[in-house]
């Protein structure tokens, strides 16, 4: 499916037909930026009497946070052009609409005019198709018919309750009354903005005083709870500020319910089972950092242990939203309770009140695989380390066995990639969860207008089109992971726009064979990328193929 989003395609489309009505109809730069995520560009549906058929026919998703669609038109005929417009909604109980201009009238002379279609979501989550129809007449026998199809995403917590918007006219004949009311509106907006900034400043200062830097607190503050119940060792430095009282372990459940209004009972039980005391964790250094999350290297003194153990700590930043925190916990606990040499388990979790939740992982010299591969290619400590084909196959075999174990447990990973694996100096590989992956590797994730960041260039064709995830979609992603291993973490499909990936794959295009990649290994990748999910191999079959190829390689060593 060719997508509307790429402006270069939109404005150079030649499949247009002359229109009888001489007018312009387009989206302004601001509207294009809000709706499509593009900047410094206007999108014309009708330009000087020519209809952009490609743009008009495309179904545009309207994000949940967007409740008004603005259109701008301009009369070029030299006299008023009559128009009629209507809105057809597939589910009127879930969505209603209103226009800030009349449904029948004339496109006025005298410059540009911007009007709005307001969308009012119902009290539940839904995706609603609707069509805006516009008919513009130059004469009784000459009428231009336009249909704009949209898909509105409605979320219950983002339903629209604001007032109707007044018509905005951009022309040279603005009346004094309009200017007066516009000035009043601007003044009110400025006052409201100042008020919001003052409130934010006050809350942020209050929050900063209460939540100090976790790393600083971990290094220098006194313990918030006693370690005497453990092995008799002295007090450890705490993750919390000293004025925060140590909550009981039973407080974990209620704290999580506040983070997510609808937690599953299974996730709730997991959190209760592996909750750790925050004062037993000491943060040492930041390993990776994103916009709303951090990964620390630290130590964890288990109760009864003589000495602490090295750990990795994934935690959300103070400014992370509740949904981001809930996502961190949900994805971080996805592999909880599993035991396999090729899986990185979760040691513990803490969601104590008034502090950032964290997840605890063992740290035994493993590091992120994507960063390891990039370091192999661009090492500043000496000559780049070149992985042999035999080493690549050995690493791929370990990852495949880990995913095979997941599938036997009836679990689908959904985000298999080098960024969600770890590797040590002996090239031992472990698969991890994808908690914080969107934040730490934002270049690997894209939003296609649906408010959801996804690893577009690792997804199978059915996952792109219908968000279907199965064991077969994990096989597809494993083929991309194998390609990452052979290219030392190059970006897949770097020349393809994310919005065009589905069309690109449906036309039969795939990743090219990497340099120095044997035909046998590339054949394994190609099998993973079969268009039909039924035609892709299982991980058991992939393991057999890789083991056979590894055996052939060892004969020549």
């Amino acid at each position: 499916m060719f997508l509307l989003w790429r402006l270069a395609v939109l404005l150079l489309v030649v499949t247009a037909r002359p229109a009888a009505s001489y007018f312009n109809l387009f989206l302004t730069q601001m509207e294009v930026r809000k709706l499509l995520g593009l900047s410094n560009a206007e999108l014309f549906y009708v330009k000087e009497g020519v209809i952009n058929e490609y743009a008009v026919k495309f179904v545009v998703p309207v994000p949940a946070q967007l409740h008004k669609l603005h259109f701008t038109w301009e009369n070029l005929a030299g006299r008023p052009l009559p128009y009629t417009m209507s809105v057809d909604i597939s589910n009127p109980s879930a969505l209603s609409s209103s226009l800030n201009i009349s449904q029948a009238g004339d496109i006025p002379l005298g410059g540009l005019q911007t009007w709005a279609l307001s969308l009012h979501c119902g009290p539940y989550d839904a995706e609603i198709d609707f069509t805006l129809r516009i008919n513009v007449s130059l004469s009784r026998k000459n009428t231009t018919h336009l249909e704009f199809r949209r898909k509105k995403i409605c979320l219950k917590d983002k339903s629209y309750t604001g007032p109707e918007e007044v018509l905005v006219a951009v022309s040279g004949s603005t009346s004094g009354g309009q200017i007066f009311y516009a000035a009043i509106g601007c003044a009110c907006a400025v006052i409201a903005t100042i008020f919001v900034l003052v409130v934010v400043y006050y809350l942020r200062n209050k929050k900063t005083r209460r939540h100090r830097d976790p790393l600083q607190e971990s290094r220098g503050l006194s313990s918030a709870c006693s370690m005497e119940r453990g092995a008799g060792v002295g007090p450890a430095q705490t993750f919390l500020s000293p004025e925060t009282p140590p909550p009981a372990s039973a407080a974990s459940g209620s704290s999580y319910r506040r983070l997510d209004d609808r937690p599953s009972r299974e996730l709730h039980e997991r959190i209760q089972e592996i909750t750790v005391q925050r004062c037993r964790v000491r943060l040492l250094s930041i390993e990776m950092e994103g916009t709303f999350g951090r990964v620390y290297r630290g130590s964890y003194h288990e109760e009864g242990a003589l000495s602490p153990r090295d750990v990795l700590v994934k935690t959300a930043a103070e400014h992370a939203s509740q949904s981001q925190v809930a996502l961190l916990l949900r994805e971080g606990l996805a592999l909880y309770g599993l035991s396999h040499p090729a899986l990185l388990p979760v040691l513990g979790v803490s969601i104590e009140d008034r502090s950032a939740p964290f997840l605890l992982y063992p740290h035994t010299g493993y590091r992120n695989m994507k960063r390891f591969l990039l370091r192999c290619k661009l090492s500043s400590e000496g000559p780049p380390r070149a992985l042999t084909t035999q080493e690549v196959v050995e690493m791929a075999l370990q990852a495949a066995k880990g995913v095979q174990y997941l599938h036997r447990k009836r679990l689908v990973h959904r985000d298999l990639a080098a960024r969600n694996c770890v590797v040590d100096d002996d090239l031992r590989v472990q698969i991890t969860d994808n908690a914080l992956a969107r934040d730490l590797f934002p270049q690997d994730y894209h939003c296609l207008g649906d408010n959801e960041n996804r690893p577009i260039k690792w997804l199978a064709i059915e996952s792109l089109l219908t968000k279907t995830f199965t064991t077969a979609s994990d096989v597809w992603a494993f083929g991309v992971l194998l390609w990452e291993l052979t290219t030392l973490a190059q970006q897949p499909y770097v020349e393809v726009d994310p919005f065009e990936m589905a069309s690109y794959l449906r036309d039969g295009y795939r990743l090219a064979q990497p340099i120095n990649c044997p035909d046998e290994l590339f054949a394994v990748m190609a099998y993973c990328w079969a268009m039909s999910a039924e035609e892709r191999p299982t991980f058991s079959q992939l393991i057999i193929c890789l083991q056979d190829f590894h055996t052939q390689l060892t004969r020549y060593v």
Side-chain angles (χ1 to χ4, degrees), residues 119-140:
L119 304 170
H120 314 280
C121 287
Y124 53 87
D125 298 345
E127 289 188 7
I128 307 100
D129 296 317
F130 68 94
T131 303
L132 170 64
R133 293 186 171 87
I134 302 176
N135 301 318
V136 181
S137 301
L138 185 62
S139 64
R140 292 183 179 179

Side-chain angles (χ1 to χ4, degrees), residues 274-458:
I274 59 175
T275 294
V276 300
Q277 290 180 302
R278 191 173 294 249
C279 57
R280 295 183 181 273
V281 179
R282 177 181 298 175
L283 304 182
L284 302 176
S285 61
I286 295 179
E287 293 285 303
M288 293 187 288
E289 184 172 11
T291 303
F292 64 86
R294 300 187 188 98
V295 179
Y296 290 91
R297 184 172 181 177
S299 62
Y300 171 51
H301 205 139
E302 294 182 81
E303 188 172 355
L306 298 177
S307 59
R309 63 184 297 182
D310 292 334
V311 293
L312 287 175
V313 181
K314 289 184 180 180
T315 183
E318 291 178 357
H319 59 270
S321 67
Q322 292 185 358
S323 61
Q324 291 166 337
V325 170
L327 189 64
L328 166 69
L329 295 174
R330 186 178 297 110
E331 294 181 341
L333 295 174
L335 305 185
Y336 166 68
L338 304 178
S339 178
H340 190 275
L343 294 180
L344 181 67
V346 176
L347 284 179
V349 61
S350 174
I351 53 173
E352 294 177 359
D353 291 339
R354 296 172 56 192
S355 49
F358 69 68
L359 297 162
L360 215 61
Y361 302 83
H363 181 59
T364 55
Y366 284 83
R367 49 195 157 170
N368 183 269
M369 180 188 284
K370 180 159 186 168
R371 294 196 169 195
F372 168 78
L373 294 173
L374 292 172
R375 195 175 295 115
C376 288
K377 180 166 51 178
L378 303 171
S379 176
S380 59
E381 303 171 358
R385 172 176 178 174
L387 294 176
T388 65
T389 302
Q390 184 173 343
E391 289 174 328
V392 168
V393 174
E394 290 171 353
M395 295 171 70
L397 268 170
Q398 295 177 70
K401 291 177 181 178
V403 184
Q404 180 191 47
Y405 173 80
L406 287 179
H407 289 180
R408 287 176 177 173
K409 295 293 183 179
R410 300 185 179 276
L411 293 174
V412 177
H413 191 282
R414 299 166 66 102
D415 196 0
L416 188 60
R419 63 183 169 273
N420 292 323
C421 297
V422 292
V423 61
D424 66 2
D425 291 334
D426 296 326
L427 300 184
R428 290 177 296 187
V429 174
Q430 287 183 320
I431 297 170
T432 72
D433 55 62
N434 61 329
L436 292 185
R438 296 174 184 84
D439 188 41
L440 300 175
F441 299 94
Q443 70 278 6
D444 292 351
Y445 294 83
H446 300 88
C447 177
L448 300 186
D450 54 2
N451 254 7
E452 180 183 354
N453 277 327
R454 292 179 287 162
I456 299 298
K457 298 186 178 181
W458 280 261

Side-chain angles (χ1 to χ4, degrees), residues 504-548:
Y504 188 84
L505 297 176
R506 192 159 45 194
D507 289 345
Y509 295 103
R510 298 293 186 270
L511 289 167
Q513 182 171 354
I515 299 174
N516 298 326
C517 174
D519 293 340
E520 296 87 345
L521 194 56
F522 184 67
V524 175
M525 302 181 202
Y527 292 148
C528 296
W529 302 327
M531 182 67 72
S532 172
E534 291 76 14
E535 296 177 1
R536 297 171 206 155
T538 63
F539 272 94
S540 298
Q541 295 169 327
L542 285 172
I543 290 171
I544 293 174
C545 291
L546 291 172
Q547 283 176 334
D548 289 345

Side-chain angles (χ1 to χ4, degrees), residues 8-18 50-55:
V9 176
L10 288 174
L11 301 181
L12 296 178
V13 171
V14 296
T15 58
R17 62 178 174 81
V50 177
I51 296 178
N52 187 340
E53 296 277 11
Y54 186 82

Side-chain angles (χ1 to χ4, degrees), residues 120-162:
H120 314 280
C121 287
Y124 53 87
D125 298 345
E127 289 188 7
I128 307 100
D129 296 317
F130 68 94
T131 303
L132 170 64
R133 293 186 171 87
I134 302 176
N135 301 318
V136 181
S137 301
L138 185 62
S139 64
R140 292 183 179 179
K141 298 182 180 180
N142 211 342
T143 302
T144 297
H145 304 280
L146 300 171
E147 288 190 1
F148 300 95
R149 292 180 294 163
R150 301 289 186 264
K151 180 185 292 290
K152 179 69 176 82
I153 300 170
C154 286
L155 300 180
K156 185 165 57 177
D157 58 343
K158 293 185 178 181
S159 58
Y160 175 72
T161 58

Side-chain angles (χ1 to χ4, degrees), residues 162-232:
E164 288 298 315
E165 178 177 303
V166 298
L167 177 64
V168 178
V170 183
S171 66
S173 58
T174 304
S175 67
Q178 289 175 318
I179 295 176
F180 172 78
Y181 288 115
I184 293 296
C186 291
C188 293
V190 171
I191 293 172
T193 302
I194 294 174
F195 176 78
V196 171
L197 290 176
V198 170
V199 172
V200 171
Y201 179 79
Y202 170 78
L203 293 178
R204 190 169 185 84
N205 279 352
K206 184 177 179 181
K207 187 176 182 181
T208 302
R209 289 194 298 269
R210 190 177 68 189
H211 299 289
R212 299 174 186 173
D213 179 74
L215 186 55
Q216 178 183 357
E217 291 175 2
S218 179
R219 287 172 173 169
L221 293 176
S222 60
S223 176
C225 64
S226 175
M227 298 285 286
E228 294 176 357
R229 293 176 299 172

